[in-house]
Each structure stands twice: as C-alpha cells, then as structure tokens.
C-alpha cells in the first residue's frame, strides 16, 4: 500500500487532472461549436492519432519514417471500400462501370461487412509494416537509408493506386458515401456520434501508447534510440523490437485513416503521398518529439493553423505556415511540449539552493 501511495505524487496527480480536463473538453465540444467546426476538429483528432503512432517509432525508437501516409491511406481505403459498397447497395461502384467492369471483384466482396473493413484497416497496414520491417531491420538498414526506402514505398503505392483505376478509383479516389451501419453519414446526429468515437479512439490509443512506453518493452525502445549497438551487446535483438513497434505504429495509422474517411468523405492517392507523410513528421517535430502529448497537440495545432490561415489569407497562408515552422524550430527545438519543460527548468534554476543562494538562470 505504501508503495502504491508513493506513485501518486503531487505532480502525477496534477498531470492526471490535466488529462481528465482535456478529455472532458473534447467530449463537451459538441455543446459549444458548430457542426462544421466539430467535423473539422474530428478530422484534426484523427491526425492526432496517426501522430501518436509516428511518435512511437520516431520519438521513442529513433526510426524516422517518411512514408507513414501509406499506412494511413491503406486504413482509409479499407473503410472507403465498405462505405462505397454500402452506398451502391453491394453492386459494383460507378467508377468500375466507367472502366468496363460489370462484376464486383472478389477482393472487394468481403468489404461489404463493416467489421471486416475495420479489421482490414488495421491488419493490412500492420502486415505491410511487418514485412517491410522484417527485411529492413533484420538486415540492419537504418537512418537515411530506411527513410528513403519508406519514401520509395509511398511512390510505389500511389502509382499503383492511380494505375489501377478500375479497382481503386484512380486519381479521383473513392467518394460518394451515403450511409454507415445503416445511418446517414451526412446527418448531424451521425457526425456527432462519429466525433465521440474519434475522441474515444484517441484517448484509448493515447493510454495504450503510454502503457507501451512505460513498460519494459518501452524502456528497450528508448535504449535502442540512444544506443542500438549497446542494446545488442547486452543480449537484446533490436530488430525484433523495431519490427514490433513499427507494426504497432502502422496499425495505429490505419485506425486514423478509417476515422478520417468517415469525417471527410473522400480518400485519394494525393492524400497519402510524400507531402502528407512529411507533414505528419512536422506535426510530431513541432509538437514535441518523444512526448506523445506534444505529438497529438502538434497535429491539432498545425492543422488548425493551416485551416485558419488558409481561410483568412488565401493568397499568403503558406508564408504564415513557413514562418511558424521557422519560429518553432529556432526558438523551440524540443517542440511546443518542450516549452513546459524549459519553464520548469528555469524556475528550478532560480530556486535557492541549500546555502540560500539562487542558482543562475540559464
């Protein structure tokens, strides 16, 4: 009992209170914002989920992936296939008819089930990451070489999606949804329920990621990030841990992609290309790499800023975004979340030491 009481320090209690307040604010958002803003916030929360997964491999394991948009997009396409079949009554979608297909392809047919689509939206990205991780980490492909490889995967996947127009909708992607589980996907009530589902998914995945990084597995991940050769020297196989965390991260990105489609109503190859993948890395870097909270916060803040700047300054919003990136990189190298740590450190330096002398501010 004494050991359990020691775990709940005042600092940890305040952190739990902050988490509870943030969750309460998110769940109460439908009471204060319009339907349009609520749908926009739901999209940002989906981006926050993929940022959490990316932070697991980059912030805590030291693996930089510039192809995470692929896993996000595969999850989105899995859900889009179900939604498109629901809208067409199980018949071949319109873009298949335009390409001359008269019958529904075999691999499309199982996606008439919502739960099958959900399972595939997680399993397909995770399986692809597992296969890629097996051949790269096992052969000790690291650093910039792995980053280039993930970018090549983006190019291959987008080219395949565009080229197979009869099966994927080509450059237009898959759109034209009407219902989800029998409910109108465009009704405000359904949008509200989907928002609550997204909030619940974000909280659940955040708790899961906290559990992972706080476990022995997470300690090994951080050790790999700080010194992979030393981890190998003491008897661990870093490749196994890297494959597992890469697979988990891809599955989380697939969940985010499925939620994204439900809110936005479209998925196309342009939404999972190189530029969106790089933007995901920027969310984590600006929010605070290796903090989870910072990664999610960075995704929400950056997309909110992008939306507001593009609305207020349609001709020059890119300059504002660029300036924001420069300011954060120069003055906040540890991201927005790192600002809190810097403030605490400065306050601690100013506190009197045991001799009654204040430490000089840094």
């Amino acid at each position: 009992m004494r050991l359990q009481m020691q775990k709940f320090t005042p600092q940890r209690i305040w952190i739990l209170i902050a988490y509870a307040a943030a969750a309460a604010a998110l769940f109460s958002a439908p009471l204060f914002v319009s339907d349009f803003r609520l749908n926009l916030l739901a999209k940002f929360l989906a981006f926050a989920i993929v940022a959490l997964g990316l932070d697991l491999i980059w912030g805590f394991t030291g693996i930089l992936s510039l192809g995470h948009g692929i896993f996000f997009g595969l999850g989105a396409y899995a859900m889009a296939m179900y939604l498109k079949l629901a809208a067409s009554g199980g018949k071949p979608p319109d873009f298949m008819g335009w390409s001359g297909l008269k019958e529904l392809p075999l691999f499309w047919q199982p996606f008439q089930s919502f739960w099958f689509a959900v399972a595939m939206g997680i399993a397909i990205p995770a399986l692809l990451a597992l296969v890629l991780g097996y051949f790269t980490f096992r052969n000790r492909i690291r650093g910039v070489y792995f980053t280039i490889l993930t970018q090549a995967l983006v190019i291959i996947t987008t080219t395949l999606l565009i080229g197979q127009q009869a099966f994927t909708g080509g450059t237009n992607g898959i759109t034209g949804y009407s219902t989800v589980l029998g409910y109108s996907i465009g009704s405000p009530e359904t949008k509200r329920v989907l928002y609550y589902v997204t909030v619940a998914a974000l909280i659940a995945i955040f708790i899961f990621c906290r559990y992972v990084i706080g476990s022995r597995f997470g300690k090994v991940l951080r050790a790999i990030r700080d010194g992979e050769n030393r981890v190998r020297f003491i008897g661990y196989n870093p490749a196994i841990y890297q494959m597992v965390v890469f697979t988990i991260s891809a599955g989380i990105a697939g969940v985010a992609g499925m939620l994204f489609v439900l809110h936005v109503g479209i998925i196309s190859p342009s939404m999972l290309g190189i530029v969106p993948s790089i933007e995901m890395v920027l969310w984590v870097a600006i929010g605070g790499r290796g903090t989870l909270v910072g990664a999610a916060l960075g995704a929400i803040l950056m997309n909110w800023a992008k939306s507001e700047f593009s609305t207020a300054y349609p001709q020059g919003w890119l300059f504002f975004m660029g300036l924001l990136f420069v300011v954060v990189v120069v003055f906040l190298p540890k991201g927005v979340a790192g600002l809190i740590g810097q403030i605490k450190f400065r306050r601690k330096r100013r506190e009197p030491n045991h001799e009654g002398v204040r430490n000089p501010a840094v």
Side-chain angles (χ1 to χ4, degrees), residues 104-118:
L104 191 67
L106 289 177
F107 72 92
W108 266 76
Q109 294 178 9
F111 286 90
Q112 297 183 61
S113 168
F114 172 80
W115 297 111
F116 180 84
V118 170

Side-chain angles (χ1 to χ4, degrees), residues 53-311:
L54 184 57
D55 198 26
L56 272 184
I57 63 168
W58 186 34
F60 293 95
T61 318
I63 302 171
L64 177 58
S65 169
L66 288 182
H68 236 56
I70 290 300
F71 308 125
F72 177 84
L74 290 175
Y77 265 93
M79 180 55 65
M81 291 167 71
Y82 159 77
L83 294 173
K84 190 63 176 179
L85 289 177
S88 63
K91 299 178 181 179
D94 46 13
F95 61 82
M96 291 186 181
W98 302 336
S99 301
L101 288 181
K102 303 300 181 182
E103 296 183 357
L104 191 67
L106 289 177
F107 72 92
W108 266 76
Q109 294 178 9
F111 286 90
Q112 297 183 61
S113 168
F114 172 80
W115 297 111
F116 180 84
V118 170
M120 290 299 101
I122 300 174
I124 294 176
L127 182 61
L128 177 61
L130 179 62
V131 173
L132 178 64
Y134 177 80
F135 288 105
T136 54
F137 301 132
R138 186 169 171 266
N139 292 289
R140 300 187 183 182
I141 298 176
R142 305 287 187 271
V144 66
Y145 302 104
F146 179 82
T147 303
I148 294 174
L149 187 62
T150 56
Q151 284 194 319
L153 180 65
V154 172
I155 297 174
I156 293 171
T157 306
T158 53
T159 302
L160 181 63
L161 291 172
I162 293 173
Q164 299 298 319
Q165 182 171 348
F167 303 103
T168 64
T171 55
N172 296 324
I174 304 176
T175 187
Y177 320 133
S178 57
T179 61
V180 54
L181 292 174
Y183 297 94
S184 174
I185 199 170
S187 68
E189 293 78 13
T190 304
K191 290 288 186 182
R192 198 168 294 114
V193 171
L194 291 175
Y195 170 80
Y196 286 130
V197 171
T198 304
V199 173
L202 174 62
I203 294 174
I205 290 174
F206 177 79
I207 294 174
F208 171 75
C209 291
R210 290 278 300 181
Y211 171 77
V212 169
I213 64 174
S215 64
R216 181 180 178 182
F217 178 81
K219 293 178 181 178
V220 176
L221 294 181
R222 290 192 291 275
I224 293 172
R225 177 195 63 189
D226 299 334
E228 182 177 337
N229 289 332
R230 284 179 289 178
V231 172
R232 187 178 291 108
F233 178 76
I234 62 178
Y236 289 94
N237 185 357
I240 296 177
Y241 289 87
Q242 291 166 328
M243 281 189 290
V244 172
V245 73
F246 192 41
T247 302
I248 293 173
S249 178
I252 292 174
V255 173
M258 289 187 286
L259 293 170
F260 172 84
V261 163
L262 290 170
H263 296 298
V264 178
I266 184 175
I267 184 63
S268 66
S270 63
M271 297 179 181
L272 50 106
I274 292 178
V275 173
S277 298
I278 295 176
E279 285 185 350
M280 293 174 185
V281 173
L282 291 176
W283 301 340
V284 177
I286 291 175
R289 175 187 169 192
T291 60
L292 287 184
V293 172
L297 191 62
I300 296 172
L301 290 179
M302 292 310 304
N303 283 282
W304 173 81
K306 181 179 179 180
S307 176
E308 294 299 321
F309 285 156
S310 62
T311 301

